[in-house]
C-alpha cells in the first residue's frame, strides 16, 4: 500500500513541476499576488519571484506530507487523531 501511494505521490509532484514549467513561459513580467478588499491589486511580484515562491511552496508542502506519511506510525497513538 505504501509503495503505490509513494508512486502516486511522485506522479502528482512531477505533474506540479510540469505545470510550473508550462505556466512559466506564459506569465507576464509582473504579477499581482495580493488584493485589497475591493479586489484591486496592491502587491506584485516579478515572474522569477513567483516561480521561486511556487516551487518552494510545492517542495515544502511535499516535505511536510512526506515526514507525516513516513513517521506517523512512529508517533504514540495518543498523539494521532485518525478515526478508525
Amino acid at each position: 500500500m505504501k509503495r503505490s501511494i509513494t508512486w502516486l505521490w511522485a506522479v502528482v509532484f512531477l505533474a506540479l513541476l510540469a505545470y510550473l514549467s508550462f505556466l512559466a513561459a506564459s506569465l507576464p513580467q509582473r504579477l499581482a499576488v495580493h488584493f485589497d478588499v475591493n479586489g484591486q491589486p496592491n502587491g506584485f511580484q516579478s515572474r522569477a519571484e513567483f516561480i521561486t515562491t511556487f516551487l518552494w511552496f510545492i517542495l515544502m508542502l511535499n516535505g511536510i506530507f512526506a515526514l507525516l506519511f513516513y513517521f506517523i506510525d512512529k508517533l504514540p497513538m495518543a498523539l494521532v487523531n485518525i478515526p478508525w
Side-chain angles (χ1 to χ4, degrees):
M1 176 72 173
K2 269 194 169 186
R3 178 164 281 218
S4 62
I5 291 174
T6 304
W7 280 108
L8 177 65
W9 193 350
V11 167
V12 169
F13 180 71
L14 291 175
L16 282 171
L17 291 178
Y19 175 71
L20 178 63
S21 65
F22 174 74
L23 181 71
S26 63
L27 290 175
Q29 286 297 327
R30 189 169 172 229
L31 288 100
V33 293
H34 190 269
F35 300 86
D36 64 11
V37 294
N38 298 322
Q40 300 300 317
N42 62 0
F44 296 91
Q45 279 184 335
S46 70
R47 180 188 322 172
E49 288 174 335
F50 178 79
I51 291 170
T52 304
T53 304
F54 191 79
L55 184 60
W56 274 110
F57 177 74
I58 292 170
L59 292 174
M60 292 303 229
L61 196 60
N62 273 286
I64 289 169
F65 281 118
L67 288 173
L68 182 64
F69 179 71
Y70 286 110
F71 294 113
I72 196 164
D73 46 342
K74 307 232 184 313
L75 287 172
M77 287 306 290
L79 295 177
V80 179
N81 186 15
I82 299 175
W84 297 97

